[in-house]
Amino acid sequence: LQGSVTGLRVTQTTGQPGSEPTITLRGGASINGGSDGALIVVDGIIRESLGDINPADIESIQVLKDAASTAIYGARANGGVILVQTKGGKSGKATVNYKGKLGMNFARLGYDMLDAHDYIYYNRLGYQRYANVSGANKLENQTGYGTNSNLCDVKFLDDTNKNLLSKGWLQMKDPVTGKDLIYKDYNGELDDASFRDVSLTQDHYVSVAGGSDRGTFFTSLGYYDEDGMVRGTGYQRFNGSVNASYKVLPILNVKAGATYSWAKKPKLWIGEYEFFYRTRSQRPTWNPYLEDGSPAPGWSTSDGNPDYYRPRLTRENCTRKSTYNLGWDLDIIPKKLTWSANASLYHYDYQNEKFDKSFQPQTSNVPNNVRTAVAEISRFSNVQINTTLNYKDTFAENHNVDAMIGGEYFDHNTFDFSAETQNSPTDDIPTLNAGATRSKTYSYKSRYRIESLFGRINYDYQQKYLLSFTARYDGISKLKDNRWGFFPGVSAGWNVTQEEWWKNSKISNIITNIKPRISYGVNGNVNGIDDFAIYGVYKQIGAKTYNGQTAYYNSTLLNTGLRWEQRRSLEIGLDLGFLNNRLAFILDYYNRTTDDLLTNLNLPAYTGFMSMKTNLGKLRNTGFEMEIRANILNNPKGFKW
């Protein structure tokens, strides 16, 4: 999508394989962070991301940006909509397809870090100048460039250690004392323990499709594996999908499908930011390996050789996502009136496990045997049921009408669980049950529901004059006094080149498409409101208990008058085509205003509350977009830009 759709921004915050970017359309429409993201709809099922979709399964992608087209999706389309249609079976002979891909990622050149000589020289000189100002006189106790450190190889040259010069040590003049220093340079030796010079990627996909006049089927399997440039990281994903349709009766078509994905994305024992700056800026006078050649633990879990801590501080996780859907299309009046219905379940399951085996930093005389074990589970499920009645007909030969009315029920349930134990007796049992101390237990449940009515009417006259009306009426359990919101949209267009007077003009051979258009619509948003905020939110006191009982308090000032954020968008556009549309321009100006922004209002301390959620403020977003398409040779094999 990046670079192929005007006004669409893909933000990647990390280079870790399997990380999912944020997709924002037209700069966002809210101040509530994640609520700016586009709504992802795959085969009519709402998903939280595109990360579990195998690209080889995708048939087409459509991006909806203007409010007139997104209004039909109501409350969740405040940040635009990305519609994904996956492949399905076709009547005819069964076909089997396989696609494979192998690749390599090469590490970019790192920073040119100071070697041990320059590191010692500038640090000792700098500390001496600092000491002259502050009165400090502890140069030789400074880790890395002082001579009293047991972990770093820096010493004053004397008769007892001059033999080290024959063992790879180097000699330099001390800029502070003028004496001779000897040191060992380990600059860059952590690179191989931290990063891969080349990481491999493999992608395999196989699909089987077929069908007859009565029914069709499609099934696929995919496997993706990518090594991370950071050792110990990577991404593995397995995908499976199946869908089928069958005409039970000439007027009744039943369809069903299921998808499943499993993914593993190993994590580090410290944050990515800390890992990079700790390993890239490690003291070059510290030997990352012990005398026997084994990795050295260093000062702590963040200041040591990653090869030492990687097998001891284990991190494992996996994510499972599955969808199931069943529906039908019933032709009440063939080719005119159709009743469609669909029910779907989307289930998300994330499992994360951590275990710290016994480890001992070089600065400690005893090992750390706390052996913390953590298990975390996060689950949610979406139940989505919708039904529509579609009518399509032509009146008086020239008037075309396509009308639809429908309803939807959406139910979201969340469950999170985590537990932690400590003081396991052995490294061999990484589960919670071996821990002698139960240090933490936590669980969380939440739920919200949306009920909706929606409709759309499309009208055109000889494909010249185009008019569309959409409307959606949403009610959500996150609100109370203003639970229901109405979100309309209207758009109009004029195909000038369909006019007879234009077709008869000489310029029609040059300008082959002129379509001015205008649209206006309203979307709603409540993503800044917690599921149960309007009913009262409670927290435990800092001490957890009071007089032997669980103690909690009302932590949030209740505001049952919260309203929907209202995003009102006006768009004016023009489509131009030249030379049989070999050269095309798509021009758009939009003006989008979001009213009643959901935000936290700071309160005076004497109220007993720090803040209160309220509707306050306005956000305006305007822009101009231009898209150019060129097919110079105007044939399927021609050059396209």
Side-chain angles (χ1 to χ4, degrees):
L1 290 174
Q2 187 171 13
S4 63
V5 178
T6 55
L8 184 145
R9 185 177 74 247
V10 178
T11 304
Q12 190 80 36
T13 59
T14 172
Q16 183 176 357
S19 60
E20 298 178 4
T22 300
I23 302 175
T24 306
L25 290 167
R26 291 180 171 174
S30 180
I31 60 174
N32 290 307
S35 62
D36 274 348
L39 177 70
I40 309 296
V41 183
V42 181
D43 295 333
I45 301 174
I46 294 174
R47 300 197 180 198
E48 91 288 355
S49 72
L50 289 169
D52 58 321
I53 307 299
N54 194 319
D57 276 338
I58 296 177
E59 180 75 25
S60 64
I61 298 180
Q62 184 179 4
V63 179
L64 306 181
K65 297 181 287 185
D66 65 290
S69 58
T70 61
I72 196 69
Y73 292 93
R76 290 153 295 181
N78 193 51
V81 183
I82 297 178
L83 301 176
V84 178
Q85 183 68 40
T86 61
K87 295 176 181 178
K90 298 179 181 179
S91 59
K93 190 176 180 180
T95 60
V96 179
N97 293 289
Y98 168 79
K99 180 172 68 174
K101 180 175 67 175
L102 298 176
M104 293 185 292
N105 293 322
F106 296 91
R108 69 171 178 84
L109 294 177
Y111 296 108
D112 188 11
M113 309 296 286
L114 293 181
D115 60 14
H117 176 279
D118 290 342
Y119 172 81
I120 296 170
Y121 180 88
Y122 289 110
N123 271 291
R124 289 180 68 86
L125 192 63
Y127 187 86
Q128 181 62 24
R129 292 180 177 177
Y130 159 76
N132 290 337
V133 175
S134 65
N137 189 18
K138 300 178 181 179
L139 173 60
E140 304 310 330
N141 293 332
Q142 301 307 304
T143 302
Y145 52 90
T147 58
N148 292 336
S149 173
N150 294 326
L151 298 187
C152 296
D153 292 340
V154 182
K155 302 178 183 298
F156 284 117
L157 179 64
D158 57 33
D159 293 338
T160 63
N161 58 36
K162 62 182 180 181
N163 64 307
L164 295 176
L165 293 174
S166 62
K167 298 181 180 180
W169 286 57
L170 302 172
Q171 184 176 347
M172 65 176 287
K173 186 70 68 174
D174 182 10
V176 176
T177 65
K179 298 179 181 179
D180 287 331
L181 290 169
I182 61 171
Y183 64 94
K184 191 73 178 288
D185 191 349
Y186 303 102
N187 181 44
E189 291 197 15
L190 267 183
D191 286 356
D192 289 340
S194 305
F195 309 103
R196 294 185 177 95
D197 290 333
V198 179
S199 65
L200 302 179
T201 299
Q202 56 177 317
D203 190 359
H204 304 277
Y205 176 81
V206 61
S207 65
V208 181
S212 64
D213 295 337
R214 294 291 298 273
T216 61
F217 71 92
F218 178 88
T219 184
S220 68
L221 291 174
Y223 175 74
Y224 180 87
D225 187 6
E226 179 180 354
D227 294 328
M229 298 304 299
V230 175
R231 294 188 181 276
T233 68
Y235 181 65
Q236 285 183 307
R237 184 188 65 208
F238 170 82
N239 291 83
S241 70
V242 58
N243 64 70
S245 64
Y246 187 76
K247 282 191 175 182
V248 180
L249 299 170
I251 62 171
L252 178 61
N253 184 49
V254 177
K255 50 191 177 181
T259 66
Y260 177 83
S261 72
W262 173 91
K264 181 173 67 173
K265 186 170 63 174
K267 292 184 178 181
L268 301 172
W269 61 95
I270 59 174
E272 297 171 358
Y273 169 77
E274 289 81 4
F275 179 85
F276 273 94
Y277 90 73
R278 293 284 187 175
T279 55
R280 299 302 296 165
S281 61
Q282 186 56 268
R283 305 165 181 88
T285 56
W286 171 67
N287 188 351
Y289 295 93
L290 302 176
E291 291 184 2
D292 61 0
S294 61
W299 292 264
S300 66
T301 58
S302 58
D303 279 315
N305 190 326
D307 277 347
Y308 177 85
Y309 290 103
R310 190 179 297 115
R312 290 172 172 82
L313 307 179
T314 60
R315 305 292 186 263
E316 297 181 0
N317 64 69
C318 68
T319 302
R320 292 173 291 270
K321 302 178 183 179
S322 57
T323 65
Y324 312 91
N325 68 283
L326 176 65
W328 69 77
D329 297 317
L330 176 63
D331 294 329
I332 300 175
I333 303 177
K335 297 183 180 181
K336 290 187 177 182
L337 184 61
T338 302
W339 176 33
S340 300
N342 192 74
S344 65
L345 170 66
Y346 175 48
H347 184 74
Y348 170 96
D349 193 338
Y350 173 76
Q351 179 176 321
N352 185 42
E353 296 181 67
K354 307 176 186 178
F355 184 63
D356 296 344
K357 298 180 181 179
S358 176
F359 63 91
Q360 184 174 349
Q362 290 174 268
T363 54
S364 176
N365 295 323
V366 295
N368 184 322
N369 290 328
V370 175
R371 293 191 178 94
T372 299
V374 177
E376 299 172 332
I377 294 175
S378 179
R379 295 173 177 170
F380 72 78
S381 61
N382 294 337
V383 175
Q384 188 177 344
I385 303 172
N386 57 64
T387 181
T388 59
L389 197 62
N390 295 267
Y391 180 77
K392 187 176 183 179
D393 204 353
T394 300
F395 300 93
E397 297 183 357
N398 298 319
H399 301 272
N400 302 306
V401 175
D402 185 353
M404 179 268 290
I405 187 172
E408 183 179 78
Y409 172 81
F410 182 85
D411 192 343
H412 175 91
N413 280 275
T414 299
F415 174 76
D416 294 333
F417 170 81
S418 64
E420 176 183 298
T421 63
Q422 294 179 340
N423 301 317
S424 297
T426 175
D427 288 344
D428 298 328
I429 307 177
T431 52
L432 297 172
N433 55 295
T437 305
R438 298 315 195 247
S439 52
K440 176 185 175 182
T441 55
Y442 169 83
S443 67
Y444 170 82
K445 296 177 70 174
S446 190
R447 181 186 186 189
Y448 73 87
R449 292 178 292 171
I450 302 176
E451 295 179 356
S452 309
L453 294 174
F454 52 85
R456 180 186 63 228
I457 299 177
N458 294 330
Y459 166 82
D460 73 80
Y461 177 76
Q462 294 184 338
Q463 293 296 313
K464 297 179 184 179
Y465 315 116
L466 313 173
L467 192 62
S468 177
F469 296 95
T470 63
R472 188 173 179 111
Y473 192 53
D474 277 330
I476 190 167
S477 61
K478 291 184 178 183
L479 297 176
K480 189 173 183 181
D481 296 343
N482 302 288
R483 177 164 293 178
W484 293 90
F486 179 67
F487 310 108
V490 59
S491 61
W494 178 25
N495 279 324
V496 178
T497 54
Q498 295 297 318
E499 299 284 0
E500 292 298 326
W501 55 268
W502 180 268
K503 293 179 181 179
N504 296 328
S505 66
K506 296 181 180 180
I507 199 174
S508 62
N509 294 326
I510 300 175
I511 304 177
T512 51
N513 182 35
I514 299 180
K515 182 183 177 182
R517 46 191 167 76
I518 185 172
S519 65
Y520 178 82
V522 182
N523 287 115
N525 176 49
V526 291
N527 286 342
I529 304 177
D530 294 334
D531 294 348
F532 293 98
I534 62 168
Y535 303 103
V537 178
Y538 298 85
K539 289 185 178 180
Q540 282 185 304
I541 64 172
K544 304 295 184 183
T545 61
Y546 179 78
N547 196 26
Q549 301 295 319
T550 299
Y552 57 92
Y553 65 100
N554 186 354
S555 62
T556 303
L557 189 61
L558 203 60
N559 183 5
T560 62
L562 292 175
R563 303 182 299 276
W564 296 85
E565 284 187 354
Q566 299 268 344
R567 188 192 77 169
R568 297 176 173 85
S569 298
L570 172 67
E571 180 171 333
I572 301 174
L574 178 64
D575 299 343
L576 293 174
F578 299 88
L579 304 175
N580 198 26
N581 292 330
R582 294 181 185 178
L583 180 63
F585 294 85
I586 301 175
L587 310 174
D588 286 289
Y589 166 80
Y590 63 90
N591 189 325
R592 181 172 62 192
T593 301
T594 305
D595 297 317
D596 291 335
L597 291 172
L598 290 164
T599 185
N600 286 319
L601 178 65
N602 292 330
L603 298 176
Y606 61 76
T607 63
F609 299 94
M610 296 183 61
S611 64
M612 178 183 69
K613 183 72 70 175
T614 188
N615 294 96
L616 182 67
K618 180 182 295 188
L619 178 67
R620 184 166 176 244
N621 190 329
T622 62
F624 175 77
E625 299 173 351
M626 179 174 67
E627 184 176 345
I628 304 173
R629 299 177 181 176
N631 185 0
I632 296 176
L633 299 181
N634 200 30
N635 65 75
K637 297 182 180 180
F639 172 76
K640 292 183 179 181
W641 173 53

